[in-house]
Amino acid sequence: MTTAADDARRCALALLSSLDEHQRRLVRGDLADSDFRQWTYLPGDRPGLSMEHLTDAQHALAVELLRSAHSSEGGDLAVGAVEVERVRRELATGSPPDGDRYWMRVLGNPSDELPWGWRINGHHLAVHVVVAPGGTTITPHFVGSEPAVVPSGPHAGRRILGPEEDLARELATGLDPHQRAVGISADVAPDDILTRADPVADPSLLPEGIGRDLLRPAQQRLLDQLVQRYLNRAPASYAQACWRQAEAAGLDQIRFAWAGPTALGEGHYYCIRAPEFLIEYDNTQDDANHAHSVWRHLRHDWGADLLRDHYARRHQAM
């Protein structure tokens, strides 16, 4: 059975070998680049190789690389963000787009021995992968959807972030008055995620919310399902490791906060804080039909712990 690192290496090498010299110059980078941690989920051009002008075969390889960073369900979600973006562009222009405006970078050389990585970034999709001998990381991980509900066509009614919204709303609406006083942080939701595209996620920006220890067992199960919905974007081994870290830190340290009305169709926001990670979701723009979601790992974003461990071991060996 191949690992996530093996799949990423194979897919990256296949993509690189398909490119011409000009495309390789655009796609190549290094983990030490000064802009490594600069990212955004807003529309606009990015550094790197655009998927917009790839051949069909190259585009298929890029999608395979994207899926390699995810579980099957996570891969469907990431590809779904690209598909919904096509809907948005067609709604805005009246005609289907010619290509996908997402930019890819391969950082370093795909290798068994040295750290390397890759990233894909564009409107409403940002995935940052670092691969090292000690493992693989995929955060910051951002997925958005505009529209949040596809209005027409063969995928009418599609909600790629539907479970992320529905589980959280069920939890928020089920809070009793005492729990609501702690778990509902504001009557009006913020207009976006609070950490935005910060290179380093700051948990102190988020409302404190209600601790898992103050929830009833059924509510705790809902919160756990919601957390695992985000962690399960990653391959199973990484998702399970992240959950074990949360268990080791103490599941009762997980906190949940909701802002805005809990009624369907109203602008809303929620966040989840834990010692190891944070999660944010908002759906406030365009009459609550424009959703954002982000998963940040407070130690593993940008592969920080992997790279720190690799270079420490390398230094000790010298």
Side-chain angles (χ1 to χ4, degrees):
M1 179 180 296
T2 62
T3 66
D6 294 330
D7 287 340
R9 185 177 304 109
R10 174 183 56 79
C11 292
L13 290 172
L15 177 63
L16 289 172
S17 67
S18 77
L19 303 178
D20 61 33
E21 184 177 349
H22 174 68
Q23 290 173 316
R24 286 195 194 97
R25 284 199 300 270
L26 291 173
V27 81
R28 297 310 297 264
D30 194 272
L31 291 174
D33 288 349
S34 60
D35 64 352
F36 174 44
R37 298 190 180 201
Q38 294 178 11
W39 70 289
T40 177
Y41 47 87
L42 301 177
D45 293 354
R46 312 285 200 272
L49 173 68
S50 173
M51 291 176 63
E52 190 171 19
H53 304 299
L54 297 180
T55 67
D56 289 346
Q58 291 170 332
H59 190 280
L61 289 170
V63 171
E64 188 177 2
L65 178 60
L66 175 60
R67 285 189 174 276
S68 76
H70 297 87
S71 65
S72 176
E73 295 81 2
D76 289 344
L77 177 62
V79 172
V82 176
E83 293 169 344
V84 173
E85 177 65 4
R86 294 175 194 155
V87 173
R88 183 196 71 82
R89 293 173 64 193
E90 183 170 356
L91 290 171
T93 65
S95 59
D98 291 333
D100 296 319
R101 292 179 55 79
Y102 293 89
W103 285 261
M104 307 193 76
R105 302 285 303 279
V106 176
L107 306 163
N109 296 309
S111 164
D112 291 327
E113 300 177 357
L114 297 176
W116 68 281
W118 67 271
R119 60 184 281 174
I120 182 169
N121 198 284
H123 188 215
H124 284 164
L125 180 66
V127 180
H128 307 87
V129 179
V130 172
V131 182
T136 301
T137 64
I138 69 166
T139 60
H141 192 282
F142 181 100
V143 173
S145 180
E146 179 193 358
V149 182
V150 174
S152 59
H155 300 292
R158 186 182 189 189
R159 302 166 63 227
I160 63 168
L161 292 172
E164 284 82 347
E165 178 178 333
D166 296 345
L167 286 167
R169 176 174 284 106
E170 185 178 353
L171 178 56
T173 56
L175 298 176
D176 63 33
H178 175 72
Q179 292 172 323
R180 287 179 65 88
V182 184
I184 307 296
S185 63
D187 294 332
V188 178
D191 61 3
D192 202 345
I193 60 173
L194 298 177
T195 53
R196 304 293 172 105
D198 295 343
V200 179
D202 182 358
S204 71
L205 297 173
L206 308 186
E208 186 171 354
I210 186 170
R212 186 179 179 278
D213 57 324
L214 297 180
L215 300 176
R216 296 185 296 276
Q219 294 171 322
Q220 292 177 344
R221 289 192 291 273
L222 269 178
L223 179 56
D224 294 350
Q225 282 182 264
L226 181 57
V227 169
Q228 291 179 2
R229 171 72 186 175
Y230 285 85
L231 301 187
N232 288 341
R233 295 178 177 186
S237 59
Y238 184 54
Q240 291 163 6
C242 289
W243 184 249
R244 287 195 298 270
Q245 291 168 1
E247 290 178 319
L251 292 180
D252 284 345
Q253 294 197 59
I254 299 175
R255 309 189 70 86
F256 170 82
W258 177 282
T262 56
L264 283 169
E266 300 288 340
H268 57 281
Y269 162 94
Y270 68 81
C271 65
I272 301 169
R273 299 172 54 177
E276 296 285 338
F277 62 83
L278 65 81
I279 289 164
E280 289 189 273
Y281 175 99
D282 79 272
N283 188 352
T284 58
Q285 301 174 41
D286 301 320
D287 297 321
N289 194 25
H290 181 156
H292 294 161
S293 71
V294 71
W295 166 28
R296 305 290 302 260
H297 197 294
L298 301 179
R299 290 190 299 107
H300 289 172
D301 268 8
W302 318 107
D305 260 17
L306 288 181
L307 296 175
R308 186 181 303 112
D309 181 66
H310 172 79
Y311 292 121
R313 291 174 182 272
R314 186 178 180 185
H315 179 74
Q316 291 169 1
M318 294 177 64

